[in-house]
């Protein structure tokens, strides 16, 4: 964003700017929202980030973003059955939220209303100059949901935000507030039927003692481009578990930005990237330990086949006040082909002096000894490889404990392996 | 049942020859003990029989029921009834032991054109056999061999052998790392599998295993060859006098 001497816009950059011009009159929002949108499109005119921008070093967006389809409001996306049985589904079909969506005991508001009345304007815009996902989304965001879970509520049924694209462009926002001591599970589905360009930004705030499990499942079609940004802020004693699985799209940037200003807050990140074909998938985490006794563990497992490229940037900052922080990060990759690539960049910035922080990264192939052992028991090579690859990532899923959830996610794994390995 | 003719095998990566003209015949119903000093090629022999591709056979043949198995991969050999009980069973995180047993049993049955086991029948069989080996059923819900003690790993190997019902069992130092009680349980398991249509090759350093699994024949391996064969008394003789005399003779 801060390249001042961009000589010439790329076709994709021009297409984005043109798309904004065309959609401007249809995009919802009051004057405050319009100002944010204008700022955003000005930022886009300076060009998409290249590898010279540190946050985008492994994902040269200017070079990688080549397809920018236009928004087409006539396209129809069909809702899918819920991922987890018994969930309440909040659909966003081709970028439009459901008018009748509601959940007992929870306040659900269509985001379009909050854009129209301007109350959501302050949350829009870039968090820093390199926040291209925030910028892109601010320029085009048209809908989404605001979900407000009151204090003390224990919501047993998972809430599924089902974002289904039908091709074209869709841009959504999902602010979620979880009140003091409340408990809930949220599933974020990013899926669809076309070679769309989607951006989806969520903002989660956990009040004191709240507990939340958030599951992101992205299985966009092979030609799609997906920009995701998950923001969370954790108050005292709150507990967030974020699980993600990337199993689709051609170009993915999934950002995870978590701030822990509350003492004793706990964050668990477990993620799986299943990469095949010529996918480029970048998961970038920015985690701030800002108070005493905050804890976090992050484990990301990647399987890469074909000529796929994967990226994990894991930044953990520990503020001076955040004594007794305990943070552990691991990124493990299994490469199934000679041409597949994975880049891992751990980044620890520690200003407190009494902390336990660690990180580790591994890149391996299938263990020949393990393969021999399984085959020596009569398991054919393809099946044996499948078992070993699945074992590598299934461990992460099994940590979720809820049997029905584990079963559904493992079935997705099996399907991915059957189609891509 | 097993006939090894003038076998030469080397480590594929380094080209170092380990098996150098080995001959061995084991008949159906026979339990053959293979003894020999460290580095004589005992474990390599077990891997070559099982089909590990870290080793290359450069000469000779391995016939199993009259058919050469050299061109078969490990899974094909296993489906035909060849079983290797590993000296160091592999720990495989993420693969649940029960899932592994089910896939292994059904893969072999499928390869032989037999009907696959249904889940209740499979579980019943595993429960029966594991109880006989003193294996806690809860252990089988854990990932394969992960966190198992040395004794538990060996019991798990024998459990697999009992469930898969192979025709040729190769046991590579099954006694290593076992205390005397565990050794007895394992030996009982092996003895229960002795049958007129099954052959066993028992690789060991120690007489104590052969006191419990009494062999029909004993073969001494040195520098990749069988330098002496005899009956069970040969093992007793070695226990008393060591390998030095034999090696001197062979040289």
């Amino acid at each position: 964003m801060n390249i001042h001497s961009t000589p010439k816009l790329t076709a994709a950059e021009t297409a984005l700017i043109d798309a904004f011009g065309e959609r401007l009159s249809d995009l919802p929002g009051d004057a405050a929202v319009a100002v944010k949108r204008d700022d955003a499109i000005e930022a886009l005119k300076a060009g998409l980030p290249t590898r010279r921008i540190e946050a985008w070093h492994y994902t040269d967006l200017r070079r990688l973003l080549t397809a920018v389809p236009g928004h087409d409001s006539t396209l129809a996306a069909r809702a899918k059955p819920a991922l987890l049985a018994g969930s309440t589904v909040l659909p966003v079909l081709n970028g439009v939220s459901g008018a009748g969506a509601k959940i007992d005991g929870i306040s659900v508001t269509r985001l379009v209303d909050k854009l129209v009345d301007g109350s959501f304007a302050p949350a829009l815009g870039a968090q820093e100059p390199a926040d291209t996902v925030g910028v892109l989304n601010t320029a085009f965001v048209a809908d989404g949901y605001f979900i407000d879970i009151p204090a003390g509520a224990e919501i047993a049924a998972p809430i599924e935000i089902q974002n289904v694209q039908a091709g074209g462009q869709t841009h959504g926002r999902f602010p979620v507030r979880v009140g003091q001591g409340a408990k809930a599970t949220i599933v974020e589905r990013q899926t669809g039927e076309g070679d769309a360009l989607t951006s989806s930004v969520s903002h989660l705030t956990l009040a004191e003692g709240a507990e939340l499990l958030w599951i992101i499942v992205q299985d966009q079609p092979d030609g799609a481009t997906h920009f995701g940004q998950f923001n969370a802020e954790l108050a005292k004693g709150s507990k967030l578990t974020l699980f993600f699985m990337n199993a689709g799209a051609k170009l993915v940037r999934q950002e995870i930005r978590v701030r822990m200003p509350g003492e004793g807050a706990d964050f668990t990140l477990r993620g799986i990237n299943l990469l095949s074909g010529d996918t480029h998938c970048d998961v970038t985490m920015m985690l701030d330990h800002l108070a005493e006794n905050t804890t976090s563990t992050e484990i990301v497992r990647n399987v890469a086949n074909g000529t796929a490229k994967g990226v994990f940037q894991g930044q953990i900052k520990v503020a001076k006040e955040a004594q007794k922080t305990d943070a552990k990060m691991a990124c493990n990759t299994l490469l199934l082909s000679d041409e597949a690539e994975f880049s891992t960049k751990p980044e620890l910035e520690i200003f407190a002096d009494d902390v336990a922080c660690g990180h580790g990264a591994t890149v391996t192939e299938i263990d020949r000894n393990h393969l021999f052992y399984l085959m020596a028991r009569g398991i054919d090579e393809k099946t044996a490889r499948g078992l070993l690859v699945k074992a590598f990532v299934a461990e992460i899923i099994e940590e979720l404990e809820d049997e029905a959830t584990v079963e559904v996610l493992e079935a997705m794994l099996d399907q991915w392996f059957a189609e891509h390995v | 049942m097993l006939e090894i003719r003038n076998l030469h095998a080397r480590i594929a990566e380094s080209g170092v020859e380990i098996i150098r003209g080995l001959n061995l015949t084991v008949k159906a119903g026979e339990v053959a003990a293979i003894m020999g000093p460290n580095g004589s090629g005992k474990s390599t022999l077990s891997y070559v029989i099982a089909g590990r591709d870290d080793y290359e056979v450069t000469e000779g043949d391995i016939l199993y029921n009259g058919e050469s198995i050299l061109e078969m991969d490990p899974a094909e050999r296993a489906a035909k009834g060849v079983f290797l009980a590993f000296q160091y069973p592999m720990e495989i995180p993420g693969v649940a032991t029960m899932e592994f047993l089910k896939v292994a049993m059904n893969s072999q049955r499928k390869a032989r054109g037999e009907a696959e086991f249904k889940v209740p029948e499979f579980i019943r069989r595993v429960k029966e056999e594991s109880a006989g080996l003193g294996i806690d059923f809860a252990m089988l819900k854990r990932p394969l061999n992960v966190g198992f003690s040395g004794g538990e790993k060996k019991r798990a190997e024998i459990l697999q052998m009992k469930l898969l019902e192979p025709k040729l069992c190769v046991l590579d130092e099954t006694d290593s790392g076992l205390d005397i009680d565990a050794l007895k349980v394992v030996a009982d398991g092996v003895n229960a599998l002795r049958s007129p249509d099954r052959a066993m090759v028992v690789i060991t350093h120690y007489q104590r295993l052969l006191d419990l699994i009494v062999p029909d024949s004993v073969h001494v391996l040195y520098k990749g060859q069988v330098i002496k064969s005899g009956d069970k008394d040969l093992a007793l003789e070695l226990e008393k006098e060591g390998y030095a005399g034999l090696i001197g003779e062979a040289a």
Side-chain angles (χ1 to χ4, degrees):
Chain A
M1 292 295 117
N2 47 10
I3 312 163
H4 296 294
S5 57
T6 309
K8 197 176 154 210
L9 294 176
T10 64
E13 288 160 350
T14 307
L16 283 171
I17 293 159
D18 290 351
F20 184 74
E22 281 161 27
R23 285 217 70 200
L24 191 54
S25 55
D26 298 329
L27 288 169
D30 72 343
V33 170
V35 168
K36 293 278 186 160
R37 290 194 198 278
D38 284 343
D39 289 349
I41 209 67
E42 282 310 308
L44 280 176
K45 282 179 185 167
L48 292 167
T50 66
R51 59 192 308 276
R52 285 192 297 246
I53 306 294
E54 200 189 342
W56 293 86
H57 183 72
Y58 299 95
T59 299
D60 188 326
L61 197 57
R62 193 152 200 262
R63 189 174 57 78
L64 288 169
L65 183 67
T66 51
V68 177
H71 175 75
D72 184 347
S73 59
T74 63
L75 295 174
R78 276 169 306 170
K80 305 202 170 197
L83 190 72
L84 305 179
S87 299
T88 314
V89 176
L90 298 177
V92 181
L93 305 177
N94 193 28
V96 181
S97 66
K102 60 175 196 196
I103 304 172
D104 283 346
I106 298 176
S107 155
V108 176
T109 317
R110 300 178 74 189
L111 198 82
V112 61
D113 298 340
K114 292 189 157 287
L115 290 168
V116 169
D117 71 15
S119 60
F120 196 67
L124 295 173
Q127 299 184 51
E128 77 278 325
D131 179 11
T132 304
V133 176
V135 162
L136 188 65
N137 186 273
T138 294
F140 292 100
V141 62
D143 209 344
Y145 290 103
F146 172 54
I147 302 168
D148 194 357
I149 301 173
E154 293 201 11
I155 311 299
I159 300 162
E160 177 171 316
I161 296 169
Q162 192 182 94
N163 197 13
V164 189
Q165 51 88 357
Q169 270 188 51
T170 63
H171 303 272
R173 286 248 174 182
F174 305 93
V176 176
R177 202 157 64 189
V178 184
Q180 194 173 333
K183 284 184 188 169
T185 297
I186 291 183
V187 177
E188 176 189 334
R189 288 277 286 287
Q190 301 291 353
T191 189
E193 284 142 35
D195 293 345
L197 184 152
T198 56
S199 78
S200 179
V201 175
S202 57
H203 301 262
L204 170 68
T205 54
L206 291 188
E208 189 174 333
E211 278 183 36
L212 191 84
L213 167 62
W214 186 297
I215 299 174
I216 300 175
V217 176
Q218 182 275 116
D219 61 348
Q220 301 277 13
D222 290 346
T225 298
H226 179 73
F227 297 107
Q229 187 182 79
F230 173 88
N231 298 279
E233 180 135 336
L234 277 61
K236 186 175 174 183
S238 65
K239 200 169 153 35
L240 169 65
T241 299
L242 173 63
F243 173 91
F244 71 81
M245 180 146 94
N246 278 309
K250 180 170 169 59
L251 174 60
V252 179
R253 166 88 164 192
Q254 173 69 55
E255 294 180 0
I256 296 160
R257 297 163 178 250
V258 176
R259 290 165 47 83
M260 295 201 280
E263 204 181 303
D266 178 68
F267 173 54
T268 302
L269 173 69
R270 296 292 182 269
I272 295 175
N273 290 308
L274 304 174
L275 313 176
S276 67
D278 60 352
T279 291
H280 180 106
C281 175
D282 173 328
V283 174
T284 293
M285 181 193 79
M286 292 166 231
L287 171 63
D288 286 291
H289 282 263
L290 298 163
E292 267 190 52
N293 289 312
T294 49
T295 50
S296 75
T297 64
E298 300 81 26
I299 303 177
V300 177
R301 294 269 166 102
N302 316 294
V303 176
N305 206 359
T307 57
K309 287 187 175 58
V311 179
F312 175 66
Q313 304 188 98
Q315 182 193 66
I316 302 178
K317 285 187 183 172
V318 179
K320 206 165 73 199
E321 300 75 27
Q323 299 292 358
K324 310 279 181 203
T325 282
D326 192 334
K328 283 186 192 65
M329 174 165 66
C331 178
N332 315 106
T333 303
L334 188 61
L335 294 178
L336 298 182
S337 79
D338 293 341
E339 289 81 29
E341 270 181 42
F342 202 94
S343 307
T344 307
K345 185 176 123 190
E347 201 180 341
L348 304 186
E349 278 182 39
I350 302 168
F351 296 100
D353 52 18
D354 182 15
V355 301
C357 286
H359 67 84
T362 60
V363 178
T364 51
E365 296 168 47
I366 283 182
D367 189 314
R368 288 161 49 86
N369 294 323
H370 291 174
L371 189 62
F372 172 62
Y373 188 84
L374 296 181
M375 289 180 73
R377 296 297 178 255
I379 302 171
D380 67 81
E381 185 168 352
K382 187 176 159 56
T383 309
R385 279 180 183 275
L387 273 178
L388 291 173
V389 177
K390 186 176 169 188
F392 178 75
V393 287
E395 272 185 311
I396 301 293
I397 293 177
E398 276 150 25
E399 278 191 48
L400 288 171
E401 283 175 2
D402 179 66
E403 260 180 52
T405 307
V406 170
E407 220 168 89
V408 166
L409 293 171
E410 290 196 345
M412 286 192 70
L413 270 188
D414 288 339
Q415 196 191 333
W416 188 86
F417 291 136
E419 288 168 9
H420 298 98
V421 177
Chain B
M1 176 165 274
L2 174 68
E3 196 181 345
I4 301 177
R5 289 183 188 160
N6 187 33
L7 187 72
H8 290 255
R10 63 185 186 191
I11 300 171
E13 203 171 292
S14 64
V16 174
E17 188 168 62
I18 307 287
I19 304 291
R20 304 182 178 99
L22 186 144
N23 291 290
L24 178 70
T25 301
V26 185
K27 295 189 183 65
E30 183 177 340
V31 173
I34 307 281
M35 303 187 78
N38 284 329
S40 57
K42 300 189 300 294
S43 283
T44 300
L45 174 63
S46 72
Y47 286 143
V48 173
I49 294 172
R52 189 170 187 147
D53 64 2
D54 300 65
Y55 300 95
E56 255 171 32
V57 172
T58 51
E59 212 183 318
D61 209 346
I62 302 176
L63 304 178
Y64 170 69
N65 290 330
E67 181 188 14
S68 173
I69 56 171
L70 290 182
E71 294 302 315
M72 298 179 190
D73 76 18
E76 292 168 313
R77 296 183 198 198
K80 292 217 174 250
V82 178
F83 181 92
L84 168 63
F86 284 66
Q87 181 179 2
Y88 303 109
M90 238 48 93
E91 293 192 9
I92 308 190
V95 176
T97 309
M98 284 298 275
E99 170 80 2
F100 159 74
L101 291 173
K102 192 171 81 190
V103 174
M105 286 169 77
N106 282 337
S107 293
Q108 292 204 12
R109 294 181 71 85
K110 210 168 121 190
R112 290 194 294 259
E114 298 163 11
E116 296 186 17
F117 276 124
K118 297 267 183 290
V119 172
E121 156 134 48
F122 160 74
I123 290 176
R124 186 181 57 75
R125 289 223 48 205
V126 175
K127 277 196 168 156
E128 253 171 43
E129 298 292 2
S130 55
L133 288 165
I135 292 172
D136 182 2
F137 193 69
M139 186 179 107
L140 303 178
K141 293 182 175 158
R142 306 215 306 257
L144 185 56
N145 290 323
V146 176
F148 290 17
S149 70
E152 285 172 336
K153 283 180 187 167
K154 295 298 170 75
R155 285 178 208 222
E157 291 290 290
I158 302 305
L159 172 65
Q160 292 170 35
M161 194 162 98
K162 295 192 99 170
L163 290 171
L164 294 168
E165 299 178 306
K167 290 287 180 261
L168 172 64
C169 309
V170 181
L171 293 97
D172 186 9
E173 299 201 25
T174 293
D175 48 340
S176 70
L178 291 186
D179 62 38
I180 197 73
D181 293 333
L183 187 64
K184 220 177 153 319
V185 173
V186 166
D188 288 347
V190 173
N191 284 329
L193 280 170
R194 290 180 83 144
S195 94
D197 63 349
R198 183 174 284 133
M200 295 199 186
V201 175
V202 179
I203 295 171
T204 183
H205 271 296
Y206 301 107
Q207 179 59 38
R208 62 171 198 169
L209 180 68
L210 301 181
D211 287 338
L212 298 169
I213 305 172
V214 180
D216 301 301
S217 61
V218 175
H219 310 269
V220 180
L221 207 58
Y222 181 64
K223 289 192 173 169
Q225 286 187 329
V226 173
I227 57 167
K228 183 152 187 172
S229 297
D231 61 12
K232 64 181 183 347
D233 295 336
L234 176 58
L236 291 169
E237 208 176 289
L238 287 170
E239 175 84 353
K240 229 179 337 178
E241 293 166 19
Y243 295 110
L246 260 185
I247 290 167
E249 260 173 58

